[in-house]
Amino acid sequence: SSDVCSSDLMAKDGLWKFKPLGMLLDRLGAFPVNRGTADREAMSLAEQCLKQELALVIFPEGTRKEGLTVDTLHDGAMFIASRTGAKIVPVGIGGVNDILPKGKRLPRFKKVTVIVGPAIEPPVSGNGSRISRSQLSLKTEELRSALEHAYRQAESY
């Protein structure tokens, strides 16, 4: 195949420290991202995937959260969308805190509900120049609100 991208899931690099999980992530086609920096290699891989019209999973929250509020997101997802023209589809997953509560190592078998929200257009510049930081922030807030809405719906089932 001529595909440059063989990955379609961006996950925090620390997950590869536990060898069995790292091997599973590799088999699932995941690639690591260093959350503490602007990981240029991960961003480049993500852009390559989207330019090949592959779906890409990104968790813009940057970490697991508890409660019904989605806090401030990282701008990375919208930055990548602005560079590739990809739409972002917000997905809320309810019931995951019951499956693997924070601090636990072994998952429990529980019901999970997935709600898929409407696609969000990427930020675009009106004159063809770079996207401003404020445009990126506005679209990221739109995504945050859509994720919270989908998540609250998923948790209500």
Side-chain angles (χ1 to χ4, degrees):
S1 168
S2 63
D3 288 344
V4 175
C5 182
S6 63
S7 305
D8 57 3
L9 171 66
M10 194 184 250
K12 72 176 182 175
D13 57 357
L15 295 176
W16 274 262
K17 289 180 183 175
F18 181 61
K19 296 288 184 205
L21 180 57
M23 291 179 358
L24 175 63
L25 290 169
D26 286 340
R27 294 196 52 92
L28 291 172
F31 61 93
V33 60
N34 182 332
R35 297 181 306 165
T37 66
D39 188 336
R40 294 185 194 285
E41 184 177 346
M43 297 292 250
S44 177
L45 278 171
E47 286 182 32
Q48 289 174 33
C49 291
L50 293 172
K51 286 178 181 173
Q52 291 176 32
E53 298 184 2
L54 297 172
L56 177 67
V57 176
I58 297 177
F59 296 92
E61 302 94 323
T63 189
R64 289 178 59 187
K65 308 273 194 231
E66 290 185 10
L68 294 176
T69 302
V70 175
D71 294 327
T72 303
L73 304 179
H74 297 280
D75 287 334
M78 275 301 168
F79 177 76
I80 293 167
S82 73
R83 291 178 51 96
T84 62
K87 294 179 183 178
I88 295 182
V89 179
V91 177
I93 306 171
V96 293
N97 289 328
D98 295 333
I99 292 174
L100 188 61
K102 276 193 167 187
K104 299 292 183 186
R105 297 193 84 170
L106 297 174
R108 302 176 194 150
F109 292 99
K110 299 279 185 169
K111 176 184 164 187
V112 172
T113 302
V114 178
I115 299 292
V116 179
I120 298 172
E121 294 291 333
V124 292
S125 172
N127 57 9
S129 64
R130 285 183 77 173
I131 303 299
S132 70
R133 177 68 77 181
S134 62
Q135 287 174 296
L136 210 53
S137 294
L138 283 171
K139 289 302 271 190
T140 298
E141 174 54 27
E142 180 182 344
L143 173 59
R144 188 209 62 75
S145 178
L147 281 170
E148 186 172 291
H149 180 72
Y151 178 62
R152 285 174 183 253
Q153 279 186 301
E155 281 291 319
S156 70
Y157 279 89

